[in-house]
Amino acid sequence: MTDVRSSRVGSEELTATYDVVIVGAGFAGMYMLHKVRQLGLSARVYDAAKGVGGTWYWNRYPGARCDVMSLDYSYSFDPELEQEWEWTEKYATQPEILSYANHVADRYDLRPDIQFDTRIERSSFDEEAGRWTVRTSAGDVVSAQHIVMAVGTLSTPKLPEIDGIDSYEGETYQTQRWPHDGVDLSGKRVAVIGTGSSGIQAIPNIAAQAATTTVFQRTPNYSMPAGNRPLDAEEVAERKAGYPAYRQAARESFFGVPIAGEPKMALDVTEEERNAAYQAGWDAGSLVGLVGAFGDILFSKEANDTAAEFVRTKIRSIVDDPQVAEDLCPDDYPVGTKRPCLDTDYFATFNKDNVRLVNVRRTPIVCITPTGLDTTEERFEFDAIVYATGFDALTGSLVSVDVEGRGGATLKEAWADGPTTYLGLAAAGFPNFHLVTGPQSPSVLSNMMVSIEQHVEWIADAIEYLRDNGYETMEATPEAVNAWVEHSTELGNQTLYPLADSWYMGANVPGKPRVFLPYIGGVGPYREKCDEVAAAGYEGFKLV
Ligand code: N01
């Protein structure tokens, strides 16, 4: 047991005691620290990286940029920050977002309470003391009343299960762990495996340098042109002048980005009207441009087919070689049910003489060799292989920490059949264990900044409520968790998402339970539900 006064836990000496331990120094962890400090509480943030920024610290591949507009993908909690910071492009580059993260860390003097280069290895709940004991890779053993898991949703990189992967003797790169000093691929024969958002952003940039670029594609993607451009001073001034109302509209919206007007249904309008709306969505260069064009696209396969065919027609019009165009056309899952992508010249890149597409559905990769890779039909030699093969999303980074809750039960065991949370904020059996943008919350189906701010503020309010009302712990009840999981699953099943083998469904990780991981009830309605729970004295939580 932890005796805070004697600074010991069992036989181990405590190195420190905090009110709150925060795991992760990305946008969630940094804001959480800021909020906790405002409550006058002590906190320590741990992050395995050597700097702040979370996903934007690690994902430095060429072409990495946000695909939510920079004027939306930014904190709203401080009017001075949002007025003073100057975004330069419609979609900010990774370096610009990282410099924003560093600016935030400096502006609120966050660094003294952040310990970099340190992983949380084990956290266990001491029932008698009602506190967590947290052990880090740096040898810290700290006691905390609360743990906030601000670990991000896409933070545990995933390599493909291909035989011989370790035998390769050339240069190997992963988009999710790109070298910080950059990579010079000029004159090299480069393979890229993976055509999700990361691959689709990286491939045109790699192809601009490399002697040859060979893209190994398993599943083609519905990608639209980002239409990136410098921001002009007038639009920035206008947005900044209207920020309070705009941010509020984002909080109340479905995806965390305001969409004007009530959407019509695709099947209620004429083909001309439909295609005009899709064209407008395509031209807008926005993730919600196409999927948000009509209210039934994510719910009706027939409606979805009209949007999917629109994208396929575009791909065929861009790509010169008809067979390559067909291979690039997604046709076995509805548009929007795998994360859509925004690109800059992705499809046109396949018109270059030195770029080749290999459809590994037709000719699967057999193995990686010391000098390249073999498909069922061909032997390839490369100077470098780039893996753009994604993440163990939403749960990977939560269960990789050895978290022991009440009775020594681990989160990994508790979630063996899929995550079970209350509101994506808490899990039964894990008191004072708070999740930021956890599974079964809108998280990855939203503008992450809006969802991060909502969760951080909700958690900070809850911690304050406990303190001010003489409670030590809060814990989601099994009944509340079951009801929320049932509700979240039911909503997911009303959509087309389960039709795709996506990371939303956990389908990209062998052995991971196939469940719909995020919450599709919409950012605004979800926020209302969370606020109601808090207003009712944290209904669904047991407060002790
Ligand atoms: O990862 P992914 P990502 N052989 O999982 C393929 C966010 N993000 O890093 O679809 C061959 O989407 C796999 O094929 P398949 C965004 O939310 C945002 O690109 O499983 N291929 C797929 O093509 C995004 O959704 C931004 O058949 C294999 C690819 O690897 C999420 O991060 C930028 C394979 C993985 O795609 C993840 O994106 C980047 C194999 N054995 C990322 N194994 C922006 O904001 C896997 N693949 C812009």
Side-chain angles (χ1 to χ4, degrees):
M1 124 171 197
T2 312
D3 180 341
V4 175
R5 283 152 305 165
S6 75
S7 300
R8 293 193 73 78
V9 49
S11 58
E12 290 169 289
E13 193 74 29
L14 282 180
T15 48
T17 296
Y18 302 105
D19 295 312
V20 185
V21 156
I22 299 164
V23 190
F27 285 120
M30 287 199 292
Y31 183 35
M32 195 73 235
L33 173 60
H34 182 60
K35 287 296 289 179
V36 164
R37 278 185 181 170
Q38 285 178 335
L39 294 176
L41 300 174
S42 63
R44 188 79 169 162
V45 182
Y46 296 97
D47 197 301
K50 291 187 186 338
V52 297
T55 198
W56 301 106
Y57 174 89
W58 296 106
N59 289 265
R60 300 177 187 230
Y61 57 84
R65 61 171 81 234
C66 193
D67 55 13
V68 172
M69 290 186 212
S70 49
L71 290 167
D72 291 275
Y73 190 84
S74 47
Y75 287 123
S76 72
F77 70 82
D78 181 346
E80 284 177 15
L81 170 65
E82 72 181 3
Q83 291 299 325
E84 284 170 26
W85 181 263
E86 300 286 349
W87 295 107
T88 63
E89 292 181 67
K90 175 183 173 188
Y91 293 114
T93 61
Q94 175 273 333
E96 189 166 60
I97 300 171
L98 190 58
S99 70
Y100 176 70
N102 277 297
H103 170 78
V104 167
D106 293 335
R107 187 177 182 112
Y108 304 104
D109 193 25
L110 301 177
R111 294 180 207 278
D113 291 327
I114 306 179
Q115 186 170 323
F116 295 112
D117 229 343
T118 307
R119 275 186 184 283
I120 301 299
E121 296 197 322
R122 188 167 157 235
S123 308
S124 47
F125 185 67
D126 182 330
E127 295 190 43
E128 244 174 283
R131 297 179 68 86
W132 287 89
T133 307
V134 179
R135 295 161 185 87
T136 77
S137 57
D140 312 278
V141 182
V142 309
S143 168
Q145 189 182 353
H146 296 272
I147 296 190
V148 180
M149 299 297 278
V151 293
T153 50
L154 294 151
S155 345
T156 300
K158 208 198 142 285
L159 281 171
E161 297 71 29
I162 303 178
D163 285 346
I165 195 162
D166 294 329
S167 70
Y168 182 62
E169 289 166 1
E171 300 164 33
T172 301
Y173 301 104
Q174 289 178 246
T175 48
Q176 332 90 329
R177 290 288 179 269
W178 202 258
H180 288 197
D181 297 333
V183 177
D184 183 8
L185 293 170
S186 49
K188 296 193 171 143
R189 298 163 303 167
V190 180
V192 182
I193 300 180
T195 53
S197 301
S198 304
I200 281 178
Q201 286 187 331
I203 285 162
N205 292 280
I206 291 172
Q209 285 181 34
T212 62
T213 303
T214 309
V215 176
F216 293 85
Q217 170 196 275
R218 190 164 65 185
T219 308
N221 238 299
Y222 296 96
S223 187
M224 291 166 288
N228 191 43
R229 54 177 171 75
L231 285 171
D232 80 65
E234 218 171 288
E235 70 178 314
V236 173
E238 198 180 315
R239 174 59 52 78
K240 286 188 172 179
Y243 248 147
Y246 186 84
R247 297 291 204 183
Q248 190 52 32
R251 291 179 197 119
E252 291 167 10
S253 69
F254 197 86
F255 292 116
V257 177
I259 302 179
E262 272 295 301
K264 292 180 180 171
M265 299 298 151
L267 299 180
D268 290 348
V269 301
T270 62
E271 192 179 344
E272 288 69 38
E273 205 179 325
R274 246 189 337 254
N275 283 334
Y278 294 147
Q279 185 65 48
W282 181 269
D283 294 340
S286 146
L287 276 183
V288 291
L290 203 73
V291 173
F294 294 103
D296 47 357
I297 293 197
L298 291 172
F299 298 89
S300 152
K301 178 73 170 54
E302 200 185 340
N304 194 287
D305 285 345
T306 63
E309 189 52 28
F310 178 87
V311 180
R312 286 191 287 266
T313 305
K314 288 289 185 192
I315 296 171
R316 290 179 190 122
S317 75
I318 299 169
V319 179
D320 297 340
D321 182 313
Q323 182 60 57
V324 176
E326 275 326 295
D327 284 344
L328 287 165
C329 283
D331 65 358
D332 64 351
Y333 64 96
V335 64
T337 57
K338 275 169 104 89
R339 171 76 153 55
C341 304
L342 292 185
D343 70 82
T344 302
D345 298 332
Y346 175 65
F347 294 115
T349 296
F350 292 93
N351 293 334
K352 290 185 161 185
D353 292 338
N354 60 347
V355 176
R356 181 172 165 197
L357 182 72
V358 178
N359 179 344
V360 304
R361 291 261 175 96
R362 208 169 31 242
T363 58
I365 298 173
V366 177
C367 62
I368 308 277
T369 65
T371 52
L373 66 79
D374 290 352
T375 65
T376 46
E377 296 222 324
E378 208 171 330
R379 167 152 290 190
F380 292 87
E381 304 227 317
F382 297 113
D383 302 308
I385 298 181
V386 174
Y387 293 100
T389 46
F391 303 86
D392 182 352
L394 281 135
T395 55
S397 301
L398 291 167
V399 298
S400 68
V401 177
D402 193 2
V403 183
E404 284 174 29
R406 207 176 272 295
T410 67
L411 195 65
K412 200 172 180 173
E413 288 159 2
W415 287 7
D417 295 329
T420 50
T421 74
Y422 183 34
L423 301 165
L425 279 161
F430 298 84
N432 289 359
F433 181 78
H434 310 278
L435 308 172
V436 182
T437 61
Q440 288 135 7
S441 76
S443 61
V444 293
L445 297 179
S446 72
N447 173 358
M448 287 300 288
M449 286 299 231
V450 173
S451 290
I452 283 171
E453 286 195 329
Q454 185 239 335
H455 269 191
V456 166
E457 287 161 13
W458 193 95
I459 293 166
D461 287 349
I463 291 175
E464 186 179 23
Y465 180 88
L466 294 190
R467 181 189 66 184
D468 293 351
N469 292 279
Y471 295 112
E472 284 186 348
T473 59
M474 67 189 300
E475 179 181 351
T477 66
E479 295 74 27
V481 169
N482 290 342
W484 184 254
V485 173
E486 201 177 306
H487 165 65
S488 180
T489 308
E490 194 183 309
L491 281 192
N493 286 341
Q494 287 168 18
T495 71
L496 301 175
Y497 284 101
L499 298 183
D501 287 333
S502 66
W503 58 257
Y504 291 141
M505 298 296 300
N508 65 328
V509 178
K512 189 165 171 171
R514 190 187 172 95
V515 294
F516 183 56
L517 293 163
Y519 178 69
I520 184 65
V523 164
Y526 169 81
R527 172 187 294 269
E528 267 177 42
K529 171 70 185 165
C530 293
D531 289 348
E532 280 165 23
V533 165
Y538 295 90
E539 189 178 31
F541 287 89
K542 187 177 167 199
L543 308 186
V544 178

